[in-house]
Amino acid sequence: MVSIPVKWARRISEQLKRYQLSVKRLKDQDANEADTVILVADILSDLFGYDKRLNLTTEYAVRGRFVDIALVEDRKPFAFIEVKAVGTDLKEQHLRQVVDYAANHGVEWVILTNSNIWQVYKVIFGQPIESELVESFELLALNPRSKEDVARLYALSIDGFKRGVLKDQHKQKQIVNRFVIGGILRMPPALQLVRKELRKLDPTLKITEQDILQVLEKEVLKRELLEDPQAKVAQKVLQRLQRKKQRPNKAKQAVVQSDTDSEG
C-alpha cells in the first residue's frame, strides 16, 4: 500500500464523511446532471485537493463540445471527467464518449462518475484506442477509518496524481492478474521448471514440455484464462515486457561486439 502523508490521510478521512452525507442527500433528491456536476467539482476540490481556479475547468472544448470537467496542470489537461446524474447507471456508451474526447487530445486518464460511483480508466493509445479500468469504488460504501479506502481515494488526489500512484496501480494491474499468470505458466521457463520437478519424482519418466502444456490447458487452467479477450491482452503485455527485457541485452551485445571490432 502506498505511503500517504498524514495531512492527506486526515483530509480525505474528514472530507469523506462530509461528502457521503452530501451524495446521499443528492440521491434522495434524485438530482439532475447539472447539480451532480457541481457536487463532483466540490468533491474534487475539498476531498481530492484540486484548486478550482487552477486545476478544474468546465470550459475545455473538444469538437465543439465542452468536457464536463477537465483536470489541468499548467493549463494542460491530464484527465477528463464525464459526469452523469446521481441516479444514472454508468454505461459503456458514456465511457466511449469521454475516451474519444481524451484520445483526440492525448489525455491519458478518464474518470466516469455520478458522484457516488467512480470509475478511473487509463487510455491506451493504439489501433484501436482502448481503455483499461484501474480503479472503481462506491463513495457511500467507503469507510473513513479504513486505511485501504483512504488509500484508494488518495490515488485520485492531486498529490496522488503528481506522485504517479495511479500509474503504479495500472502497471501492477497489468502484470499481477490471473490472465498474465496463466500466460506465464504456459511459457517455456515455467514448463521447464515443472518438467524438472516431475523428473525428480521419477527420473525414468519421459515427459515433454508439450505434455505439461496439454495438461495445463485441458485440466488445470480455466477456459476463461485461455479464451477470454483479456487473455489476449495479457499475452500482448507479456510480449511487450519481453521485448523491453531483450533491449538491454541487445545493446550490451552491440557494445561487446564494438569493443571486439576495435581490438581487431
Side-chain angles (χ1 to χ4, degrees):
M1 185 182 297
V2 65
S3 174
I4 305 174
V6 175
K7 68 175 184 178
W8 276 98
R10 186 182 300 117
R11 174 188 192 140
I12 290 171
S13 181
E14 291 174 354
Q15 294 298 329
L16 175 58
K17 296 176 188 176
R18 173 188 172 190
Y19 278 103
Q20 283 178 325
L21 294 175
S22 297
V23 170
K24 188 176 185 307
R25 191 180 307 117
L26 209 69
K27 285 191 69 176
D28 292 342
Q29 295 172 356
D30 194 23
N32 60 28
E33 188 171 302
D35 289 338
T36 307
V37 170
I38 294 173
L39 178 60
V40 168
D42 288 342
I43 291 173
L44 289 166
S45 175
D46 297 334
L47 196 156
F48 294 123
Y50 295 96
D51 188 308
K52 284 187 176 181
R53 294 173 301 169
L54 301 177
N55 306 124
L56 300 182
T57 179
T58 56
E59 298 182 355
Y60 197 91
V62 178
R63 293 182 176 178
R65 297 184 62 182
F66 291 111
V67 177
D68 287 336
I69 298 175
L71 299 182
V72 300
E73 181 73 16
D74 296 329
R75 298 184 180 180
K76 294 182 179 179
F78 61 88
F80 284 163
I81 303 177
E82 180 76 8
V83 182
K84 294 301 173 186
V86 65
T88 302
D89 293 331
L90 304 180
K91 298 180 180 179
E92 181 68 24
Q93 66 195 58
H94 304 146
L95 175 62
R96 283 199 302 269
Q97 178 177 318
V98 69
V99 168
D100 183 54
Y101 290 165
N104 277 278
H105 284 257
V107 174
E108 282 189 284
W109 297 95
V110 299
I111 300 172
L112 192 58
T113 183
N114 60 10
S115 77
N116 180 32
I117 305 298
W118 292 69
Q119 298 172 354
V120 185
Y121 294 84
K122 175 75 168 59
V123 179
I124 308 301
F125 297 95
Q127 294 294 337
I129 296 292
E130 297 177 343
S131 61
E132 294 179 1
L133 181 66
V134 177
E135 182 60 276
S136 177
F137 57 83
E138 182 181 351
L139 199 74
L140 291 177
L142 300 183
N143 183 351
R145 296 182 180 180
S146 167
K147 291 183 179 180
E148 183 177 341
D149 287 349
V150 170
R152 295 174 76 180
L153 293 175
Y154 174 71
L156 269 69
S157 72
I158 188 167
D159 197 56
F161 253 113
K162 287 180 177 179
R163 290 179 61 187
V165 177
L166 277 175
K167 285 188 176 181
D168 290 342
Q169 287 184 2
H170 178 247
K171 287 179 183 177
Q172 179 158 347
K173 198 162 188 176
Q174 275 192 312
I175 296 175
V176 186
N177 64 66
R178 62 186 185 277
F179 298 103
V180 171
I181 293 174
I184 290 175
L185 290 175
R186 287 157 34 228
M187 292 174 65
L191 297 174
Q192 291 166 9
L193 179 61
V194 173
R195 180 175 180 272
K196 180 180 179 180
E197 294 302 315
L198 291 174
R199 290 289 304 277
K200 287 180 181 178
L201 298 176
D202 188 342
T204 65
L205 291 176
K206 294 182 179 180
I207 306 170
T208 68
E209 293 173 19
Q210 188 61 33
D211 294 332
I212 298 168
L213 181 61
Q214 287 182 358
V215 173
L216 279 172
E217 293 184 342
K218 292 182 179 179
E219 302 177 35
V220 179
L221 300 177
K222 294 181 178 180
R223 300 306 303 173
E224 176 189 10
L225 294 179
L226 306 174
E227 299 174 355
D228 192 283
Q230 291 189 60
K232 294 182 179 179
V233 174
Q235 193 62 33
K236 291 180 180 178
V237 170
L238 286 171
Q239 291 171 353
R240 185 164 64 248
L241 292 175
Q242 286 178 315
R243 285 196 296 270
K244 286 184 179 180
K245 187 177 179 181
Q246 290 169 356
R247 283 172 195 158
N249 292 333
K250 289 181 179 180
K252 186 176 180 180
Q253 290 172 4
V255 171
V256 171
Q257 182 62 43
S258 176
D259 291 342
T260 303
D261 292 343
S262 297
E263 291 175 2

Coordinates of all heavy atoms in Angstrom, one line a residue, residues 99-162:
V99 N -13.7 8.7 -23.5 CA -12.4 8.1 -24.0 C -12.1 8.7 -25.4 O -10.9 9.1 -25.7 CB -12.5 6.6 -24.1 CG1 -11.3 6.1 -24.9 CG2 -12.4 6.0 -22.7
D100 N -13.1 8.9 -26.2 CA -13.0 9.5 -27.5 C -12.4 11.0 -27.4 O -11.5 11.4 -28.1 CB -14.3 9.5 -28.3 CG -14.2 10.1 -29.7 OD1 -13.3 9.6 -30.4 OD2 -14.9 11.0 -30.0
Y101 N -13.0 11.7 -26.4 CA -12.5 13.1 -26.2 C -11.0 13.0 -25.8 O -10.2 13.8 -26.3 CB -13.3 13.7 -25.0 CG -14.7 14.1 -25.3 CD1 -15.6 14.4 -24.3 CD2 -15.2 14.1 -26.6 CE1 -16.9 14.7 -24.5 CE2 -16.5 14.5 -26.9 CZ -17.4 14.7 -25.8 OH -18.7 15.1 -26.1
A102 N -10.7 12.1 -24.9 CA -9.3 12.0 -24.4 C -8.4 11.7 -25.5 O -7.3 12.2 -25.6 CB -9.3 11.0 -23.2
A103 N -8.8 10.7 -26.3 CA -7.9 10.3 -27.4 C -7.6 11.4 -28.4 O -6.4 11.5 -28.9 CB -8.5 9.1 -28.1
N104 N -8.5 12.3 -28.6 CA -8.3 13.3 -29.5 C -7.4 14.4 -29.0 O -6.9 15.3 -29.8 CB -9.7 14.0 -29.9 CG -10.3 13.2 -31.0 OD1 -10.0 13.4 -32.2 ND2 -11.2 12.3 -30.7
H105 N -7.2 14.4 -27.7 CA -6.3 15.5 -27.1 C -5.1 14.9 -26.3 O -4.4 15.6 -25.6 CB -7.1 16.3 -26.1 CG -8.0 17.3 -26.9 ND1 -7.7 18.7 -27.0 CD2 -9.2 17.1 -27.6 CE1 -8.6 19.3 -27.7 NE2 -9.5 18.4 -28.1
G106 N -4.8 13.6 -26.6 CA -3.7 12.9 -25.9 C -3.8 12.9 -24.4 O -2.7 12.9 -23.7
V107 N -5.0 12.8 -23.9 CA -5.1 12.8 -22.4 C -5.2 11.3 -21.9 O -5.9 10.5 -22.5 CB -6.4 13.5 -22.0 CG1 -6.7 13.3 -20.5 CG2 -6.4 15.0 -22.4
E108 N -4.3 11.0 -21.0 CA -4.1 9.6 -20.6 C -5.2 9.0 -19.7 O -5.4 7.8 -19.7 CB -2.8 9.5 -19.8 CG -1.5 9.5 -20.6 CD -0.3 9.1 -19.8 OE1 0.1 10.0 -19.0 OE2 0.1 8.0 -19.8
W109 N -5.9 9.9 -18.9 CA -6.8 9.4 -17.9 C -8.2 9.9 -18.1 O -8.4 11.1 -18.5 CB -6.3 9.8 -16.5 CG -5.0 9.2 -16.2 CD1 -3.8 9.8 -16.3 CD2 -4.8 7.9 -15.6 NE1 -2.8 8.9 -15.9 CE2 -3.4 7.8 -15.5 CE3 -5.6 6.8 -15.3 CZ2 -2.8 6.6 -15.0 CZ3 -5.0 5.7 -14.8 CH2 -3.6 5.6 -14.6
V110 N -9.2 9.1 -17.9 CA -10.6 9.5 -17.9 C -11.3 8.9 -16.6 O -10.9 7.9 -16.1 CB -11.4 9.0 -19.1 CG1 -10.7 9.6 -20.4 CG2 -11.4 7.5 -19.2
I111 N -12.2 9.7 -16.1 CA -13.0 9.3 -14.9 C -14.5 9.4 -15.3 O -14.9 10.4 -15.8 CB -12.7 10.2 -13.7 CG1 -11.2 10.2 -13.4 CG2 -13.5 9.9 -12.5 CD1 -10.7 11.2 -12.3
L112 N -15.2 8.4 -14.9 CA -16.6 8.3 -15.2 C -17.3 8.3 -13.8 O -16.9 7.4 -12.9 CB -17.0 7.1 -16.0 CG -18.4 6.9 -16.6 CD1 -18.7 8.1 -17.5 CD2 -18.5 5.6 -17.3
T113 N -18.2 9.2 -13.5 CA -18.8 9.2 -12.2 C -20.2 9.8 -12.2 O -20.6 10.6 -13.1 CB -17.9 10.1 -11.2 OG1 -18.5 10.0 -9.9 CG2 -17.9 11.5 -11.7
N114 N -21.0 9.4 -11.2 CA -22.3 10.0 -10.9 C -22.3 10.6 -9.5 O -23.4 10.7 -8.9 CB -23.4 9.0 -11.1 CG -23.3 7.8 -10.2 OD1 -22.5 7.8 -9.3 ND2 -24.2 6.8 -10.4
S115 N -21.1 10.9 -9.0 CA -20.8 11.4 -7.6 C -20.7 10.3 -6.6 O -20.0 10.4 -5.6 CB -21.8 12.5 -7.2 OG -23.0 11.9 -6.8
N116 N -21.4 9.2 -6.8 CA -21.3 8.0 -5.9 C -20.4 7.0 -6.4 O -19.4 6.6 -5.8 CB -22.7 7.5 -5.6 CG -22.7 6.3 -4.6 OD1 -21.8 6.2 -3.7 ND2 -23.6 5.3 -4.8
I117 N -20.7 6.5 -7.6 CA -19.8 5.5 -8.3 C -18.7 6.3 -9.0 O -19.0 7.2 -9.8 CB -20.6 4.7 -9.3 CG1 -21.8 4.0 -8.6 CG2 -19.7 3.6 -9.9 CD1 -21.4 3.1 -7.4
W118 N -17.5 5.8 -8.8 CA -16.3 6.4 -9.5 C -15.6 5.3 -10.2 O -15.2 4.3 -9.6 CB -15.4 7.2 -8.5 CG -16.0 8.4 -7.9 CD1 -17.1 8.4 -7.0 CD2 -15.6 9.7 -8.1 NE1 -17.3 9.7 -6.7 CE2 -16.5 10.6 -7.3 CE3 -14.6 10.3 -8.9 CZ2 -16.4 11.9 -7.3 CZ3 -14.5 11.7 -8.9 CH2 -15.4 12.5 -8.1
Q119 N -15.3 5.6 -11.5 CA -14.5 4.6 -12.3 C -13.4 5.4 -13.0 O -13.6 6.4 -13.7 CB -15.4 3.9 -13.4 CG -16.6 3.1 -12.8 CD -17.5 2.6 -13.9 OE1 -17.4 3.0 -15.0 NE2 -18.5 1.8 -13.4
V120 N -12.2 4.9 -12.8 CA -11.0 5.5 -13.3 C -10.4 4.6 -14.4 O -10.1 3.5 -14.1 CB -10.0 5.8 -12.2 CG1 -8.8 6.6 -12.8 CG2 -10.6 6.6 -11.1
Y121 N -10.1 5.2 -15.6 CA -9.6 4.4 -16.7 C -8.3 5.0 -17.2 O -8.2 6.2 -17.3 CB -10.6 4.3 -17.8 CG -11.9 3.6 -17.5 CD1 -13.0 4.2 -16.9 CD2 -12.0 2.2 -17.9 CE1 -14.1 3.5 -16.6 CE2 -13.2 1.6 -17.6 CZ -14.3 2.2 -17.0 OH -15.4 1.5 -16.7
K122 N -7.4 4.1 -17.7 CA -6.2 4.6 -18.4 C -6.5 4.4 -19.9 O -6.9 3.3 -20.3 CB -5.0 3.7 -18.0 CG -3.7 3.9 -18.7 CD -3.1 5.2 -18.3 CE -1.6 5.3 -18.8 NZ -1.5 5.2 -20.3
V123 N -6.3 5.5 -20.6 CA -6.5 5.4 -22.1 C -5.2 4.7 -22.7 O -4.1 5.1 -22.4 CB -6.7 6.8 -22.7 CG1 -6.9 6.7 -24.2 CG2 -7.9 7.5 -22.0
I124 N -5.5 3.7 -23.5 CA -4.4 3.0 -24.2 C -4.4 3.5 -25.7 O -5.3 3.2 -26.4 CB -4.6 1.5 -24.1 CG1 -4.8 1.0 -22.7 CG2 -3.4 0.8 -24.8 CD1 -3.7 1.4 -21.7
F125 N -3.4 4.2 -26.0 CA -3.3 4.8 -27.4 C -2.7 3.7 -28.3 O -1.6 3.3 -28.2 CB -2.4 6.0 -27.4 CG -2.9 7.1 -26.6 CD1 -2.5 7.3 -25.2 CD2 -3.9 8.0 -27.1 CE1 -3.1 8.3 -24.5 CE2 -4.4 9.0 -26.3 CZ -4.0 9.2 -25.0
G126 N -3.6 3.3 -29.2 CA -3.2 2.3 -30.2 C -4.2 2.2 -31.3 O -5.0 3.1 -31.4
Q127 N -4.2 1.2 -32.1 CA -5.2 0.9 -33.1 C -6.0 -0.4 -32.8 O -5.4 -1.4 -33.0 CB -4.6 0.9 -34.5 CG -3.9 2.2 -34.9 CD -5.0 3.3 -35.1 OE1 -6.2 3.0 -35.4 NE2 -4.6 4.6 -35.0
P128 N -7.2 -0.3 -32.3 CA -8.0 0.9 -32.0 C -7.6 1.5 -30.6 O -6.9 0.8 -29.8 CB -9.4 0.4 -32.0 CG -9.2 -1.0 -31.5 CD -7.9 -1.6 -32.0
I129 N -8.1 2.6 -30.3 CA -8.0 3.2 -29.0 C -8.7 2.4 -28.0 O -9.9 2.0 -28.2 CB -8.5 4.7 -28.9 CG1 -7.7 5.6 -29.9 CG2 -8.5 5.2 -27.5 CD1 -6.2 5.8 -29.4
E130 N -8.1 2.1 -26.8 CA -8.8 1.2 -25.8 C -8.6 1.9 -24.5 O -7.9 2.9 -24.3 CB -8.1 -0.2 -25.8 CG -8.3 -0.9 -27.1 CD -7.6 -2.3 -27.0 OE1 -6.7 -2.5 -26.1 OE2 -7.9 -3.2 -27.8
S131 N -9.3 1.4 -23.5 CA -9.2 1.9 -22.1 C -9.2 0.7 -21.1 O -9.8 -0.3 -21.4 CB -10.4 2.8 -21.8 OG -11.6 2.1 -21.9
E132 N -8.5 0.9 -20.0 CA -8.4 -0.2 -19.0 C -8.8 0.4 -17.7 O -8.3 1.4 -17.3 CB -6.9 -0.7 -18.9 CG -6.5 -1.5 -20.2 CD -5.1 -2.0 -20.1 OE1 -4.4 -1.8 -19.1 OE2 -4.6 -2.6 -21.1
L133 N -9.7 -0.3 -17.0 CA -10.2 0.1 -15.7 C -9.1 -0.1 -14.7 O -8.5 -1.2 -14.5 CB -11.4 -0.7 -15.3 CG -12.0 -0.4 -13.9 CD1 -12.6 1.0 -13.9 CD2 -13.1 -1.4 -13.5
V134 N -8.7 1.0 -14.0 CA -7.7 0.9 -13.0 C -8.2 1.0 -11.6 O -7.7 0.3 -10.7 CB -6.7 2.1 -13.2 CG1 -5.6 2.1 -12.1 CG2 -6.0 2.1 -14.6
E135 N -9.3 1.7 -11.3 CA -9.9 1.9 -10.0 C -11.4 2.1 -10.1 O -11.9 2.7 -11.1 CB -9.2 3.0 -9.3 CG -9.7 3.2 -7.8 CD -9.5 2.0 -6.9 OE1 -10.3 1.1 -7.0 OE2 -8.5 2.0 -6.2
S136 N -12.1 1.5 -9.2 CA -13.6 1.7 -9.2 C -14.0 1.6 -7.7 O -13.6 0.7 -7.0 CB -14.2 0.6 -10.0 OG -15.7 0.7 -10.0
F137 N -14.9 2.5 -7.3 CA -15.4 2.4 -5.9 C -16.7 3.1 -5.8 O -17.1 3.9 -6.7 CB -14.4 3.0 -4.9 CG -14.0 4.4 -5.2 CD1 -14.8 5.5 -4.8 CD2 -12.9 4.7 -5.9 CE1 -14.5 6.8 -5.0 CE2 -12.5 6.0 -6.1 CZ -13.3 7.1 -5.7
E138 N -17.5 2.8 -4.8 CA -18.7 3.5 -4.4 C -18.5 4.3 -3.2 O -18.1 3.8 -2.1 CB -19.8 2.4 -4.1 CG -21.2 3.0 -3.8 CD -22.2 2.0 -3.5 OE1 -22.0 0.8 -3.7 OE2 -23.3 2.4 -3.0
L139 N -18.6 5.6 -3.4 CA -18.2 6.6 -2.3 C -19.0 6.3 -1.0 O -18.4 6.3 0.1 CB -18.5 8.0 -2.8 CG -17.8 9.1 -2.0 CD1 -16.3 9.1 -2.3 CD2 -18.4 10.5 -2.2
L140 N -20.3 6.0 -1.1 CA -21.1 5.7 0.1 C -20.7 4.4 0.8 O -21.1 4.3 2.0 CB -22.6 5.7 -0.3 CG -23.2 7.0 -0.8 CD1 -24.7 6.8 -1.2 CD2 -23.1 8.1 0.3
A141 N -20.0 3.5 0.1 CA -19.7 2.3 0.7 C -18.3 2.3 1.4 O -17.9 1.4 2.1 CB -19.7 1.2 -0.3
L142 N -17.6 3.4 1.2 CA -16.2 3.5 1.8 C -16.3 3.9 3.3 O -17.2 4.5 3.8 CB -15.4 4.6 1.1 CG -15.2 4.4 -0.4 CD1 -14.3 5.5 -1.0 CD2 -14.5 3.0 -0.7
N143 N -15.3 3.4 4.0 CA -15.2 3.6 5.5 C -14.1 4.7 5.7 O -12.9 4.4 5.4 CB -14.8 2.3 6.2 CG -14.7 2.5 7.7 OD1 -14.8 3.6 8.2 ND2 -14.6 1.4 8.4
P144 N -14.4 5.8 6.3 CA -13.4 6.9 6.5 C -12.3 6.4 7.4 O -11.2 7.0 7.5 CB -14.3 8.0 7.2 CG -15.7 7.7 6.7 CD -15.8 6.3 6.6
R145 N -12.5 5.4 8.2 CA -11.5 4.9 9.1 C -10.6 3.8 8.5 O -9.6 3.4 9.1 CB -12.1 4.4 10.4 CG -12.9 5.4 11.2 CD -13.4 4.9 12.5 NE -14.1 5.9 13.3 CZ -14.7 5.6 14.5 NH1 -14.7 4.4 15.0 NH2 -15.3 6.6 15.1
S146 N -11.0 3.4 7.3 CA -10.2 2.3 6.7 C -9.0 2.9 5.9 O -9.2 3.7 5.1 CB -11.1 1.6 5.7 OG -10.4 0.7 4.8
K147 N -7.8 2.4 6.3 CA -6.6 2.8 5.6 C -6.6 2.5 4.1 O -6.2 3.2 3.3 CB -5.4 2.2 6.3 CG -5.1 2.8 7.7 CD -3.8 2.2 8.2 CE -3.5 2.7 9.6 NZ -2.3 2.1 10.2
E148 N -7.2 1.3 3.8 CA -7.3 0.9 2.4 C -8.2 1.8 1.6 O -7.9 2.2 0.5 CB -7.8 -0.6 2.4 CG -7.9 -1.1 1.0 CD -8.3 -2.6 1.0 OE1 -8.2 -3.3 2.0 OE2 -8.7 -3.1 -0.1
D149 N -9.3 2.1 2.2 CA -10.3 3.0 1.5 C -9.7 4.4 1.3 O -9.8 5.0 0.2 CB -11.6 3.1 2.2 CG -12.4 1.8 2.1 OD1 -12.1 1.0 1.3 OD2 -13.4 1.7 2.8
V150 N -9.0 4.9 2.3 CA -8.4 6.2 2.2 C -7.3 6.2 1.2 O -7.1 7.2 0.4 CB -7.8 6.7 3.6 CG1 -6.9 7.9 3.4 CG2 -8.9 6.9 4.6
A151 N -6.6 5.1 1.1 CA -5.5 5.0 0.0 C -6.1 5.0 -1.4 O -5.5 5.5 -2.3 CB -4.7 3.7 0.3
R152 N -7.3 4.4 -1.5 CA -7.9 4.3 -2.8 C -8.3 5.7 -3.3 O -8.1 6.1 -4.4 CB -9.2 3.5 -2.8 CG -8.9 2.0 -2.5 CD -10.1 1.2 -2.3 NE -10.8 0.9 -3.6 CZ -11.9 0.2 -3.7 NH1 -12.6 -0.2 -2.6 NH2 -12.5 0.0 -4.9
L153 N -8.7 6.5 -2.3 CA -9.1 7.9 -2.7 C -7.9 8.8 -2.9 O -7.9 9.6 -3.8 CB -10.0 8.5 -1.5 CG -11.3 7.9 -1.3 CD1 -12.0 8.4 -0.1 CD2 -12.2 8.1 -2.6
Y154 N -6.8 8.5 -2.1 CA -5.6 9.3 -2.3 C -5.0 9.2 -3.7 O -4.5 10.1 -4.2 CB -4.6 8.8 -1.2 CG -3.2 9.5 -1.4 CD1 -3.0 10.9 -1.1 CD2 -2.1 8.8 -1.9 CE1 -1.8 11.5 -1.3 CE2 -0.9 9.4 -2.1 CZ -0.8 10.7 -1.8 OH 0.5 11.3 -2.0
A155 N -5.2 8.0 -4.3 CA -4.7 7.8 -5.6 C -5.2 8.8 -6.6 O -4.6 9.2 -7.6 CB -4.9 6.4 -6.1
L156 N -6.5 9.3 -6.4 CA -7.2 10.2 -7.2 C -6.9 11.7 -6.9 O -7.2 12.6 -7.6 CB -8.7 10.0 -7.2 CG -9.3 9.1 -8.3 CD1 -8.8 7.6 -7.9 CD2 -10.8 9.2 -8.3
S157 N -6.3 11.9 -5.7 CA -6.0 13.3 -5.3 C -4.9 13.9 -6.2 O -4.2 13.2 -6.9 CB -5.5 13.3 -3.8 OG -4.2 12.7 -3.7
I158 N -4.8 15.2 -6.1 CA -3.8 15.9 -6.9 C -2.4 15.5 -6.5 O -1.5 15.4 -7.3 CB -4.0 17.4 -6.8 CG1 -3.0 18.1 -7.8 CG2 -3.8 18.0 -5.4 CD1 -3.3 19.6 -8.0
D159 N -2.2 15.2 -5.2 CA -0.9 14.8 -4.7 C -0.6 13.4 -5.2 O 0.5 13.0 -5.6 CB -0.9 14.8 -3.2 CG 0.5 14.7 -2.6 OD1 1.3 15.6 -3.0 OD2 0.8 13.8 -1.8
G160 N -1.7 12.5 -5.2 CA -1.5 11.1 -5.7 C -1.2 11.1 -7.2 O -0.3 10.3 -7.6
F161 N -1.9 12.0 -7.9 CA -1.6 12.1 -9.4 C -0.1 12.5 -9.6 O 0.5 11.9 -10.5 CB -2.6 13.1 -10.0 CG -3.6 12.4 -10.9 CD1 -5.0 12.5 -10.5 CD2 -3.3 11.7 -12.0 CE1 -5.9 11.9 -11.3 CE2 -4.3 11.1 -12.8 CZ -5.6 11.2 -12.4
K162 N 0.3 13.5 -8.9 CA 1.7 14.0 -9.1 C 2.7 12.9 -8.7 O 3.8 12.9 -9.3 CB 1.9 15.3 -8.2 CG 1.2 16.5 -8.8 CD 1.4 17.7 -7.9 CE 0.7 19.0 -8.5 NZ 1.0 20.2 -7.7

